[in-house]
Amino acid sequence: MKDYRSVADAVADEIRSGALRPGDRLPPQRAFARRHGIADSTATRVYRELARRGLTVGEVGRGTFVRAARADPAPALTEPVAGRIDLELNYPSVPEQSALLAEGLGGLLRPDALGQALRPVGAAGLPAVQESAAGILARGGWAPDPERILFTGNGRQALSAAVAALVPPGGRLGVEELTYPLVKAVAARLGIVLVPLAMDADGLVPQAVAQAHAAAPLHAVYVQPRLHNPLSLTMPEQRVERLAEVLLRLGLPAVEDAIWAFLRDDLPPLAAYAPERTVVIDSLSKRIAPGLSLGFAITPPALTTAVTTALRAGGWAPLRFALEAAHRWQRGGTVRKLVAAKQREAAVRQRIAARCLAGFAVRSDERSFHAWWDLPRPWRADTFVAAAARHGIAVVPAAAFTVGDHHAPNAVRLGLATPPPDVLAQALTTLAELARTAPEDHVTD
């Protein structure tokens, strides 16, 4: 007679080998018992044992399913380390995320609906999805015209298409002097010259745009008015209005990066002040889940053809499945719930950062998932990054965000979203202790 543990071990081996994949449904217990030549009561014990080991999960009315593997435990903050605590990449997540997303996908997984969702689709998507996207992207009393929304595979593709549409090879793109690093990569690939524009405590200085344009004409400006990455700055409304006035007077188009702006959904975008000159780019990966790729480009009528052409040339069409999923999540209220949860989570993580880094020169916003740390003397950003890495913590030096020959400050950006809160607190405490020592204390032979 077979022992239930040995049968459970055999099923566990199938899960570990990949013969049974996460999400696979196990047969009903009676069918399982017949297949393995065991009693129904033994099959019941096998299923309980698999659940106890965390290998399966039972869903009332649906059956028993193979569970996704648990995340690897966080690395210890000691030397040497096998893993690392990632304060570089910034992917916000909340505990209820997977359950909410799964609930919203139920109808989409019917064979007829899934067949439709796996068909190709163009950059304009579908009218119903455009309406849903307008609801997702609305904020601060502003909502885009659904017909002006184009879709891409992800936010990076939306950014690349917007820049390619507005700036020819060899052309000049004005950017904040500290900017999102991907813009530098896009410019290098397209043969575009980046022109650093001065910033102050309120963000991009509008007069700097006018001065740079007078020195040599700009083709466009790339800007992050809300929760700027890396500085977490949000422009005051008077500053946004003044920037819009400068763009309109000079006839300059702007690419407005709104990837993080969902955390400040009380504020309208630059596009609300200069709608005919602004292409807004956004995505779902921060709002919804890191693995959910769908980008948006909201285009003025005069620029729609150019951006659409760039999307086609790049092969950057969206996946229809992602469009259909976003439509269902918006219609069912999932997007609203996740945005609210992530706004609360950002506040929690900012409180952790404020507590652990008290006394240091840290700039951020309580609604942001990152922070900018001006390091104490005599630390330099490069040596601090190296010392942090030896403690198993990855942070980003200011040089990664610096444009052209602009001097990189002795600062680092801290991404607060990825580690669990307790691990984040440990990492920031370790970094604070590191910053209180001298760099020479960490020199290795």
Side-chain angles (χ1 to χ4, degrees):
M1 182 176 178
K2 294 182 180 179
D3 178 73
Y4 78 93
R5 295 186 186 85
S6 63
V7 180
D9 289 341
V11 177
D13 287 341
E14 290 186 71
I15 294 173
R16 279 191 289 270
S17 70
L20 286 173
R21 303 288 298 162
D24 285 353
R25 186 176 184 272
L26 298 185
Q29 291 184 20
R30 287 186 179 180
F32 182 89
R34 288 195 298 271
R35 179 182 301 176
H36 290 270
I38 58 178
D40 290 353
S41 59
T42 304
T44 299
R45 298 186 73 182
V46 170
Y47 276 45
R48 287 176 180 169
E49 176 65 14
L50 292 171
R52 187 191 68 79
R53 298 183 190 181
L55 299 175
T56 61
V57 60
E59 298 183 13
V60 177
R62 296 190 64 218
T64 300
F65 298 83
V66 176
R67 191 173 192 168
R70 291 192 176 99
D72 292 335
L77 300 180
T78 56
E79 299 185 67
V81 292
R84 69 172 189 169
I85 296 177
D86 192 350
L87 304 186
E88 287 184 331
L89 300 178
N90 221 11
Y91 292 125
S93 181
V94 291
E96 62 267 43
Q97 184 168 297
S98 295
L100 285 171
L101 296 178
E103 181 181 344
L105 286 181
L108 185 56
L109 300 182
R110 294 195 321 266
D112 57 336
L114 185 59
Q116 282 289 108
L118 296 180
R119 297 177 61 186
V121 68
L126 305 165
V129 180
Q130 287 180 311
E131 290 284 349
S132 293
I136 292 173
L137 301 172
R139 54 188 170 92
W142 168 88
D145 179 350
E147 295 183 357
R148 302 268 67 84
I149 299 175
L150 300 174
F151 300 95
T152 67
N154 55 50
R156 295 184 177 193
Q157 293 174 357
L159 171 59
S160 298
V163 172
L166 299 179
V167 187
R172 289 162 50 88
L173 175 66
V175 297
E176 293 139 321
E177 58 189 2
L178 291 168
T179 193
Y180 178 37
L182 180 66
V183 177
K184 298 196 287 185
V186 169
R189 188 173 70 249
L190 297 176
I192 289 171
V193 177
L194 294 183
V195 180
L197 303 173
M199 303 178 71
D200 61 17
D202 288 333
L204 176 62
V205 177
Q207 187 58 29
V209 177
Q211 291 171 348
H213 189 62
L218 300 173
H219 289 87
V221 174
Y222 167 84
V223 62
Q224 303 172 77
R226 311 301 188 191
L227 294 183
H228 176 277
N229 180 15
L231 298 175
S232 291
L233 293 175
T234 290
M235 289 186 183
E237 292 312 286
Q238 186 175 10
R239 172 64 61 87
V240 177
E241 292 175 7
R242 177 62 183 141
L243 177 59
E245 291 171 0
V246 170
L247 294 172
L248 292 171
R249 175 168 56 84
L250 299 177
L252 274 176
V255 177
E256 178 178 6
D257 189 333
I259 300 296
W260 288 105
F262 73 94
L263 296 169
R264 289 301 312 265
D265 56 5
D266 57 319
L267 299 175
L270 171 65
Y273 300 95
E276 63 270 48
R277 305 305 306 170
T278 308
V279 177
V280 180
I281 61 169
D282 208 329
S283 80
L284 284 188
S285 61
K286 309 298 186 186
R287 269 186 188 83
I288 306 299
L292 195 283
S293 293
L294 183 63
F296 308 94
I298 306 167
T299 60
L303 300 176
T304 299
T305 298
V307 176
T308 303
T309 300
L311 287 173
R312 289 173 179 164
W316 294 324
L319 295 176
R320 184 162 176 166
F321 184 89
L323 291 177
E324 295 283 4
H327 173 60
R328 291 169 183 268
W329 287 327
Q330 172 65 9
R331 186 178 61 184
T334 298
V335 175
R336 174 181 51 80
K337 293 175 183 176
L338 284 176
V339 166
K342 292 186 178 182
Q343 290 170 339
R344 293 191 295 270
E345 185 68 16
V348 169
R349 289 166 182 268
Q350 286 292 344
R351 287 195 290 271
I352 292 173
R355 182 178 72 249
C356 296
L357 301 178
F360 291 103
V362 178
R363 289 181 280 171
S364 192
D365 186 302
E366 64 181 5
R367 290 146 293 197
S368 174
F369 274 106
H370 48 265
W372 184 256
W373 186 3
D374 290 304
L375 296 169
R377 293 181 179 179
W379 279 104
R380 299 196 322 270
D382 54 349
T383 53
F384 188 81
V385 169
R390 289 193 291 273
H391 285 75
I393 306 169
V395 298
V396 188
F401 306 95
T402 305
V403 179
D405 296 328
H406 178 71
H407 175 69
N410 284 320
V412 294
R413 193 204 71 171
L414 305 173
L416 308 178
T418 304
D422 58 333
V423 177
L424 174 64
Q426 293 175 38
L428 294 179
T429 299
T430 298
L431 292 179
E433 293 171 354
L434 180 64
R436 294 187 182 100
T437 64
E440 54 267 26
D441 295 340
H442 304 272
V443 175
T444 58
D445 295 331

